[in-house]
Amino acid sequence: MTAQFPRHDTRLDRFVDRYAARTHGMKVSAVRALFAVANRPEIVSLAGGMPNIKDLPLGDIASNMASMIASNGMQVMQYGSGQGEPRIREQICDVMALEGISAHPDDVMISAGSQQGLDLVTRIFCDPGDVVLAESPSYVGAIGTFLSYQAEVVHVPSDESGIDPQALRETVGRLQAENKRIKFLYTIPNYSNPSGITQPWERRLEVLEACRELGILVVEDNPYGLLSLDAEPVPAMRSVDEDVIYLGSFSKTFAPGFRVGWVLAPHAVREKLVLAQESATLCPPVFSQFAISNYLENSDWEGQIALFRDMYRVRRDAMLKALADHMPSGTSWTHPIGGFFVWVTLPAGIDTQAMLPRGVDARVAFVPGAAFYADGQGARNARLSYCFPPADRIVTGVERFADVVRNELDMLNIFGVTAPAKHPQTSGPGADIY
Ligand code: PMP
């Protein structure tokens, strides 16, 4: 009789010698086990990046979908175009116009969320060993994708206005001297995940100019763009440069479960992307595309985004006030003008990954900063999200977080070091923290 090994025990992976080399980059991070615990109701999770969709008009959406199936079921439940359905690609051009982008539907390809857009862009550009430049810090899901194609992620020093153009020039110079092949710069100029930073217009132009001079392609990821909380959104980089590859998504402005995003790319790149899309999925989810098309056609989607902005503004304000009221001195954080995230910097010597289990004991979860770097930076940082818990829970969560930080600082002052992590650290983040 063959022995029955527990399925989750990776130490007993009998297939370990068979995996492709690219799976070596598919790292599971150190915190997944804790996030399973963090979903318990007594814990305030400031870790999750899930949009708060509870105010969507579900009844209206349900009846619109019912009539869509009744009138057009044969089409919406059939295979479709590898590039995506023509009508939604037209509508997406109207959505992008709100951020100053003028585009033709032929240059848009639909993807299963912008995450798949990222995957396909990386697939068509990156060979093993190629370099992808990214902000410091950058989106954990993108870093994972780049590593899964065996690309090397190099972080470009960034400040409170995003990527530093001078540092970008120096980084590129250094990499070129090492004969590295740089494939693109990946950037999230609006309300970045995880930093919450928005790149001002002037800075965007400087980065674009540096990239043009250096011959670096720009990949602009903009899932939060329409969720500005204070001023009108800054126009997209793509609005002034048609060579920019632009990623968009309905996940935060409508609902992530449909998994509909898009890539706007120069014509030749778009053709390659469609071939890659056909190999990945034959066609992106047809039903979801029609559902979103229908929503854009029949609902006040801009009004809904305005409601989302009002709701997230209340939560952002609650978090910023609670941080100001409770965090010990020597700590600092960003002040996002949109999106979902605040990036906290703690005094040197603190390790947020080791601190997380103590946070969970204190009934608060956050994402340790190291998740957002490919090179081991971020030990003294944490991402706090205000998108999901209501304002009073956010305040409670920040109070607990501040207490945990205070305890770490006491330990640091008394012993010169903080305690190591208490729990064994296993596996990676679940989908809800991205
Ligand atoms: N890019 C960024 C910066 C994100 O934060 C996320 C999700 N959190 C994605 C891309 C992927 O989103 P989706 O696939 O749902 O469009």
Side-chain angles (χ1 to χ4, degrees):
M1 215 175 102
T2 13
Q4 295 290 304
F5 295 119
R7 297 194 61 150
H8 58 271
D9 193 338
T10 50
R11 285 169 306 175
L12 300 178
D13 186 348
R14 290 175 291 121
F15 307 99
V16 72
D17 294 331
R18 301 173 192 231
Y19 296 123
R22 80 182 71 88
T23 64
H24 302 162
M26 296 178 181
K27 271 198 307 166
V28 278
S29 94
V31 290
R32 184 186 283 161
L34 282 165
F35 285 117
V37 181
N39 287 334
R40 287 206 225 115
E42 70 274 19
I43 293 179
V44 178
S45 179
L46 304 176
M50 289 182 297
N52 177 30
I53 55 173
K54 89 173 177 7
D55 298 328
L56 280 173
L58 293 187
D60 293 352
I61 295 169
S63 57
N64 282 342
M65 284 204 196
S67 49
M68 175 182 95
I69 294 169
S71 63
N72 197 19
M74 289 301 118
Q75 190 178 10
V76 306
M77 293 192 290
Q78 190 51 274
Y79 285 119
S81 147
Q83 186 176 352
E85 298 308 306
R87 178 72 189 120
I88 194 171
R89 290 190 281 109
E90 282 168 17
Q91 291 167 307
I92 282 171
C93 289
D94 296 338
V95 173
M96 290 191 291
L98 297 178
E99 300 202 68
I101 295 175
S102 139
H104 194 280
D106 278 357
D107 294 331
V108 175
M109 184 196 73
I110 306 298
S111 52
S114 49
Q115 188 68 34
Q116 196 213 11
L118 267 170
D119 185 272
L120 297 181
V121 166
T122 316
R123 186 181 302 191
I124 66 164
F125 283 112
C126 290
D127 289 313
D130 286 347
V131 170
V132 173
L133 300 171
E135 274 143 12
S136 305
S138 186
Y139 167 50
V140 56
I143 293 174
T145 298
F146 303 146
L147 295 179
S148 78
Y149 284 97
Q150 298 167 279
E152 183 188 343
V153 179
V154 175
H155 293 279
V156 180
S158 309
D159 59 21
E160 62 289 342
S161 299
I163 291 170
D164 174 346
Q166 186 48 32
L168 174 63
R169 286 193 165 84
E170 285 163 17
T171 306
V172 170
R174 176 173 58 76
L175 292 165
Q176 283 171 342
E178 292 168 18
N179 283 327
K180 296 266 171 82
R181 289 203 311 178
I182 304 171
K183 283 304 171 71
F184 54 81
L185 167 71
Y186 168 71
T187 177
I188 312 158
N190 284 322
Y191 333 124
S192 181
N193 178 1
S195 71
I197 280 175
T198 297
Q199 202 168 48
W201 181 237
E202 282 309 313
R203 181 61 75 86
R204 292 182 196 205
L205 294 178
E206 285 166 26
V207 170
L208 280 173
E209 191 186 310
C211 286
R212 221 172 287 131
E213 274 172 28
L214 299 162
I216 307 277
L217 196 59
V218 175
V219 175
E220 177 180 26
D221 187 9
N222 192 27
Y224 304 97
L226 295 178
L227 295 178
S228 55
L229 302 181
D230 298 324
E232 280 307 300
V234 182
M237 293 168 105
R238 170 59 177 74
S239 69
V240 286
D241 187 340
E242 294 195 351
D243 280 350
V244 168
I245 297 178
Y246 177 92
L247 301 169
S249 176
F250 289 107
S251 289
K252 328 287 175 180
T253 50
F254 181 27
F258 290 103
R259 307 308 299 126
V260 175
W262 67 92
V263 187
L264 169 65
H267 193 77
V269 175
R270 198 273 294 150
E271 282 187 336
K272 283 266 187 277
L273 283 171
V274 172
L275 293 175
Q277 176 66 285
E278 285 169 354
S279 128
T281 65
L282 298 184
C283 59
V286 177
F287 189 88
S288 289
Q289 293 176 68
F290 275 98
I292 291 196
S293 234
N294 189 306
Y295 174 72
L296 295 174
E297 199 95 51
N298 298 312
S299 310
D300 176 16
W301 60 275
E302 289 192 61
Q304 181 62 49
I305 291 176
L307 291 178
F308 281 147
R309 290 157 76 164
D310 290 344
M311 179 257 305
Y312 290 129
R313 187 180 307 110
V314 170
R315 291 167 187 222
R316 187 271 320 258
D317 291 347
M319 177 168 279
L320 290 181
K321 179 166 186 319
L323 285 164
D325 288 347
H326 300 290
M327 286 296 281
S329 64
T331 59
S332 61
W333 51 92
T334 54
H335 292 74
I337 56 170
F340 290 179
F341 306 110
V342 171
W343 182 247
V344 178
T345 302
L346 303 176
I350 288 199
D351 177 352
T352 49
Q353 200 142 298
M355 185 175 103
L356 179 61
R358 297 188 274 279
V360 171
D361 281 349
R363 293 170 299 140
V364 60
F366 55 87
V367 187
F372 304 96
Y373 288 94
D375 60 4
Q377 296 183 69
R380 60 194 281 203
N381 297 106
R383 188 191 77 179
L384 303 185
S385 60
Y386 50 80
C387 46
F388 203 70
D392 59 329
R393 295 280 288 165
I394 289 174
V395 174
T396 306
V398 171
E399 281 170 9
R400 292 174 184 170
F401 179 76
D403 281 344
V404 174
V405 171
R406 215 168 276 116
N407 285 340
E408 300 290 303
L409 286 172
D410 286 347
M411 250 190 288
L412 199 60
N413 289 335
I414 297 167
F415 303 113
V417 284
T418 59
K422 213 177 71 178
H423 302 290
Q425 299 186 338
T426 52
S427 60
D432 59 338
I433 76 140
Y434 285 100

